[in-house]
Amino acid sequence: MSIYTKIYDILPKLLSKRSKISPKSTTFIYDDEIWFDDYFTLKHIDKTTIAIGEPRYWQRNYSYLIIGDTQALLFDSGIGIQDISAVVQALTDLPIIHMISHYHYDHIGNIDKFKTIYLSQNQLLLQQNVLDNTIYPSLKSTLRILEGQPSKQIKFSKVLENQQFINLGNRQLQSLYSPGHHSESISLYDPQRRQLFVGDFLMKGTLYIKFLPLSDYSEFKWATFNLLNNTQSGTTIYTAHPFELAHELNNPYYTGGITFADHLELSYKDLIDINMFINQHPSSNSMSKKMVINDHLNIVF
Ligand SMILES: [Zn+2]
């Protein structure tokens, strides 16, 4: 039995027992986050950079709307239980480019709601049936079977190389390959505002660079260098999940006091700490281990 068969066999059974959506009345959100409607939340990082949250969904995904003068870009589109395009349209009239950090089902859920989709070259290498710029990402890429999400067709209009810039009008975003959690991952960097959006490449708490198909420690090492080489000191890193920390909000006695940044933001210093850790631990042997990187980052590799 292959490792994938095992994951596909066991995980759906475990996950199906979990209630995926909590009632709004018992869902706590961050002090600096507001409800948009009954399902989505908004956190304004600045006037034209907005994190769109799904706190009622158990993985508490965040997608990022990055607005320029002539175009806006939505990075990830959530689980797809609710239509995120309605939120985006309420926030901007500009044409939308949609990009995804990686193909996992909780990041591509609304990809079919957007007309202009850019992919990165490393998001096409493992995909087949590329016909008329259309793909159906593989099960191994999406893991959609874990929560029974439907297969999504992706019709893309542009393919970006590593380090290629997208001009949103007075705002440049650089696409950077960032494999590790998932070999088809990218990050987006705004050099002027020093904002780096990383999807699941990094998260606060424990980084699992093992177990999932397409996760790989040597690729993670390469990506860490790629991000460090293209970003500057003072950069803030925006992640997509507060996984391990979410228990603080999921406590019925929670009375507030936690901000979005407490759970979702990392710093350039964290990237340097990870890089130093990798230099000291160049390879992962067959036994997985959990080690401390700094006071808010651990790694399983
Ligand atoms: Zn995710």
Side-chain angles (χ1 to χ4, degrees):
M1 190 192 271
S2 79
I3 178 75
Y4 304 126
T5 320
K6 278 184 199 159
I7 288 169
Y8 291 154
D9 233 31
I10 299 161
L11 271 179
K13 284 175 192 153
L14 292 176
L15 291 172
S16 67
K17 286 189 180 146
R18 181 196 280 269
S19 136
K20 280 189 267 181
I21 301 289
S22 59
K24 187 187 176 193
S25 58
T26 58
T27 301
F28 297 114
I29 62 173
Y30 298 114
D31 283 6
D32 51 350
E33 183 180 22
I34 55 165
W35 287 100
F36 169 81
D37 57 16
D38 276 350
Y39 181 75
F40 290 105
T41 58
L42 305 177
K43 152 67 188 171
H44 276 79
I45 292 161
D46 56 45
K47 266 188 180 165
T48 49
T49 313
I50 303 148
I52 304 173
E54 298 178 67
R56 293 177 56 195
Y57 174 55
W58 73 272
Q59 297 201 63
R60 286 185 180 258
N61 282 65
Y62 285 88
S63 306
Y64 290 88
L65 180 63
I66 303 156
I67 304 174
D69 284 352
T70 55
Q71 301 188 91
L73 190 145
L74 179 68
F75 192 47
D76 288 334
S77 58
I79 182 69
I81 290 167
Q82 298 276 331
D83 182 0
I84 204 171
S85 71
V87 187
V88 172
Q89 278 162 27
L91 295 168
T92 179
D93 295 330
L94 295 174
I96 306 295
I97 298 166
H98 182 33
M99 291 186 76
I100 51 169
S101 60
H102 60 303
Y103 288 114
H104 279 165
Y105 65 93
D106 57 313
H107 297 256
I108 64 167
N110 281 293
I111 200 162
D112 49 341
K113 311 284 192 319
F114 297 93
K115 283 198 187 107
T116 306
I117 295 166
Y118 291 180
L119 292 178
S120 182
Q121 190 63 51
N122 68 329
Q123 295 178 321
L124 286 175
L125 298 176
L126 299 176
Q127 301 305 326
Q128 290 172 356
N129 305 323
V130 178
L131 176 73
D132 190 24
N133 286 357
T134 304
I135 56 166
Y136 289 90
S138 69
L139 207 54
K140 191 171 160 182
S141 292
T142 63
L143 300 182
R144 61 185 173 77
I145 201 168
L146 295 182
E147 291 187 35
Q149 296 303 116
S151 166
K152 299 271 179 188
Q153 169 188 297
I154 300 178
K155 190 169 169 58
F156 54 93
S157 50
K158 193 168 182 173
V159 180
L160 302 171
E161 302 289 336
N162 185 40
Q163 301 180 313
Q164 191 170 339
F165 280 95
I166 306 153
N167 188 355
L168 300 177
N170 247 331
R171 188 172 192 183
Q172 302 281 335
L173 279 181
Q174 188 178 32
S175 174
L176 297 169
Y177 298 173
S178 33
H181 168 77
H182 189 295
S183 62
E184 298 166 306
S185 291
I186 59 158
S187 298
L188 292 178
Y189 184 54
D190 178 333
Q192 211 166 17
R193 301 189 199 191
R194 299 190 186 187
Q195 296 168 337
L196 178 65
F197 306 91
V198 295
D200 290 355
F201 176 71
L202 300 176
M203 58 187 72
K204 238 170 181 165
T206 304
L207 299 165
Y208 288 91
I209 317 295
K210 199 138 196 164
F211 307 129
L212 286 175
L214 304 178
S215 69
D216 185 275
Y217 187 70
S218 59
E219 289 191 346
F220 180 70
K221 177 181 180 179
W222 179 89
T224 307
F225 278 103
N226 190 39
L227 294 189
L228 267 178
N229 287 338
N230 287 285
T231 57
Q232 302 141 283
S233 155
T235 293
T236 302
I237 299 169
Y238 298 94
T239 65
H241 299 281
F243 265 132
E244 202 171 271
L245 305 171
H247 71 91
E248 294 176 28
L249 292 181
N250 295 342
N251 166 7
Y253 303 105
Y254 175 69
T255 52
I258 303 178
T259 65
F260 174 87
D262 291 335
H263 282 184
L264 274 307
E265 292 182 15
L266 290 168
S267 69
Y268 188 78
K269 160 88 167 46
D270 291 317
L271 205 51
I272 290 173
D273 288 348
I274 292 166
N275 190 252
M276 278 173 56
F277 178 90
I278 292 172
N279 287 331
Q280 286 157 9
H281 304 85
S283 67
S284 74
N285 55 27
S286 54
M287 287 286 286
S288 68
K289 50 193 166 187
K290 183 173 180 175
M291 295 186 76
V292 173
I293 294 176
N294 64 26
D295 63 355
H296 53 265
L297 282 173
N298 302 305
I299 185 166
V300 173
F301 70 110

